[in-house]
Amino acid sequence: MLLPNLNERQRRLLFGTEALAIGRGGIAAVAEAAGVSRPTVSRGLAEVRAGATPSGRVRRSGGGRKRLTATDPGLLAGLEVLVEPATRGDPTSPLRWTCKSTRELAAELTGQGHPVSERTVAALLRELDYSLQGNAKTVEGRQHPDRDAQFRHINDQARRYLRTGDPVISVDCKKKELIGAEPPYKNGGREWRPKGQPEPVAVHDFPDPEVPKAIPYGIYDVGTNAGWVSVGCDGDTASFAVETLRRWWNQVGRASYPKSRRLLVCADAGGSNGYRVRLWKVELAELATETGLAITVCHFPPGTSKWNKIEHRLFAHISMNWRGRPLTSHEVVVQLIAATTTRKGLSVRAEADTNTYPRGIKISDKQLAAIQPQLKPHEFHGEWNYTMRPAHK
């Protein structure tokens, strides 16, 4: 009953005290009764006779097995030689072109005469301040010198429109999705299902012109925290983008902003709504005349599309809502998008757009010149910021 509550040193002292009290034959008797070896009892007896005093330590300083880095001084240096050049891009490193897993590193070190396990390698890497890390998307490439100034211009425009109760919308086209029912295509993410019963999907999803696609073009209303998505089936063209604007205004915008006579559109610099796309401007001119709205467009500088609010306020939540669910039809895509909500009150309306939008339409200089009276570039970067006014009839 007493032994389980004592540490190793205290047990030896107990054994030694009992053996000393018994006298001759005490070592053998105590070893048999306690179920320990005679050397352990003998050591305890020697400590008692030497006048051992209580101590906080169980073993003498320096006891226990030595660390590998002590018995093999070259181990740590060998590990650094393998890892550090590879992380710095040295093409001569032996593991430069292979997986740098702990298993591979342990095998390489063992082959160099430093026998070590993969668990020890992992512990040594942590001591060297290494950790498992993915790539960080922080390099934006060449930046326009007026990048920040354009951000400030967009922010100022949005504040003015919101202050007067006019609509401010962010637009973009979400990633195209493959549609298929037999077999369905994989959709990223995980969803709760019975254990061991994952949703079976196709092994490959190579691009195929015959496979239908869903093209979700979205509109995010900054003022009302609401989204609109048209799910097309043809192509992401400027005509499709402006048709989505038209549907949103006729079905949602006009009712939400009955007194507004102007609209602010925040868009990326490229794609179907790029500032260099002539068809985009021609279609906008037609929409402005049709609705009577003065449509102001502010484009984000090239390479900064991730700052577009629609990306993280609408598209990100759509992706989370349909994670792990195969998109088997356009109807399924529409329903999943329309069911997207957030705790902050996001609401989304979606509908399928079955129209066809021919690609490769060329806008001549004459057609572009015809809308110039409607187009008013801003003083600051007129190619990025401009207002399309209704044509006088």
Side-chain angles (χ1 to χ4, degrees), residues 266-284:
C266 302
D268 292 346
S272 59
N273 46 233
Y275 70 94
R276 293 177 176 173
V277 181
R278 290 186 170 190
L279 182 59
W280 161 255
K281 294 180 179 179
V282 170
E283 294 283 358
L284 275 182

Side-chain angles (χ1 to χ4, degrees), residues 12 29 106 121 133 162 269 276 314 372:
R12 286 199 311 270
V121 168
Q133 300 179 40
L162 292 174
R276 293 177 176 173
L314 178 61
Q372 289 305 313

Side-chain angles (χ1 to χ4, degrees), residues 171-172 217 236-238 241-242 267-282 284 297-300 383-384 386:
V171 303
D172 196 13
Y217 192 92
D236 178 24
T237 66
V242 175
D268 292 346
S272 59
N273 46 233
Y275 70 94
R276 293 177 176 173
V277 181
R278 290 186 170 190
L279 182 59
W280 161 255
K281 294 180 179 179
V282 170
L284 275 182
V297 182
C298 292
H299 294 274
F300 286 91
E383 74 280 12
W384 290 345
Y386 48 87

Side-chain angles (χ1 to χ4, degrees), residues 147-341:
R147 170 184 181 272
D148 292 343
Q150 176 64 6
F151 282 154
R152 288 193 293 269
H153 181 78
I154 295 174
N155 187 57
D156 291 342
Q157 290 290 321
R159 286 179 179 274
R160 292 173 186 172
Y161 275 69
L162 292 174
R163 193 180 299 119
T164 58
D166 293 309
V168 177
I169 62 175
S170 173
V171 303
D172 196 13
C173 186
K174 197 177 185 300
K175 182 177 74 74
K176 300 177 180 65
E177 303 289 346
L178 294 175
I179 301 298
E182 294 184 2
Y185 292 99
K186 177 183 177 181
N187 194 9
R190 296 183 294 177
E191 188 59 278
W192 290 104
R193 289 184 57 84
K195 188 175 181 179
Q197 299 180 31
E199 183 80 22
V201 296
V203 175
H204 302 293
D205 54 0
F206 300 125
D208 186 348
E210 302 300 324
V211 175
K213 296 178 179 63
I215 300 97
Y217 192 92
I219 296 174
Y220 175 71
D221 188 334
V222 177
T224 62
N225 190 28
W228 171 280
V229 181
S230 288
V231 181
C233 57
D234 189 23
D236 178 24
T237 66
S239 299
F240 173 52
V242 175
E243 176 60 24
T244 302
L245 286 173
R246 179 179 288 107
R247 294 188 180 201
W248 169 80
W249 177 253
N250 291 334
Q251 299 186 44
V252 178
R254 193 189 303 274
S256 300
Y257 304 94
K259 297 182 180 180
S260 292
R261 292 296 176 265
R262 60 178 187 166
L263 168 67
L264 176 61
V265 179
C266 302
D268 292 346
S272 59
N273 46 233
Y275 70 94
R276 293 177 176 173
V277 181
R278 290 186 170 190
L279 182 59
W280 161 255
K281 294 180 179 179
V282 170
E283 294 283 358
L284 275 182
E286 183 178 344
L287 178 63
T289 301
E290 178 184 323
T291 59
L293 290 170
I295 304 175
T296 296
V297 182
C298 292
H299 294 274
F300 286 91
T304 61
S305 59
K306 67 179 181 180
W307 298 101
N308 199 343
K309 288 189 180 296
I310 194 173
E311 296 288 348
H312 48 87
R313 291 197 180 179
L314 178 61
F315 289 166
H317 299 293
I318 292 174
S319 297
M320 287 189 285
N321 187 61
W322 70 21
R323 66 180 184 271
R325 301 184 186 183
L327 306 177
T328 55
S329 66
H330 286 84
E331 290 73 18
V332 169
V333 174
V334 170
Q335 291 172 8
L336 288 173
I337 292 175
T340 302
T341 58

Side-chain angles (χ1 to χ4, degrees), residues 345-391:
L346 173 68
S347 62
V348 185
R349 292 183 59 177
E351 68 174 21
D353 185 344
T354 58
N355 296 334
T356 58
Y357 298 95
R359 299 172 220 187
I361 297 178
K362 302 294 184 181
I363 300 298
S364 64
D365 294 341
K366 183 177 180 181
Q367 290 174 293
L368 191 63
I371 65 168
Q372 289 305 313
Q374 296 179 245
L375 182 62
K376 180 184 178 182
H378 294 192
E379 292 183 2
F380 178 76
H381 275 284
E383 74 280 12
W384 290 345
N385 310 289
Y386 48 87
T387 298
M388 192 67 69
R389 297 172 295 189

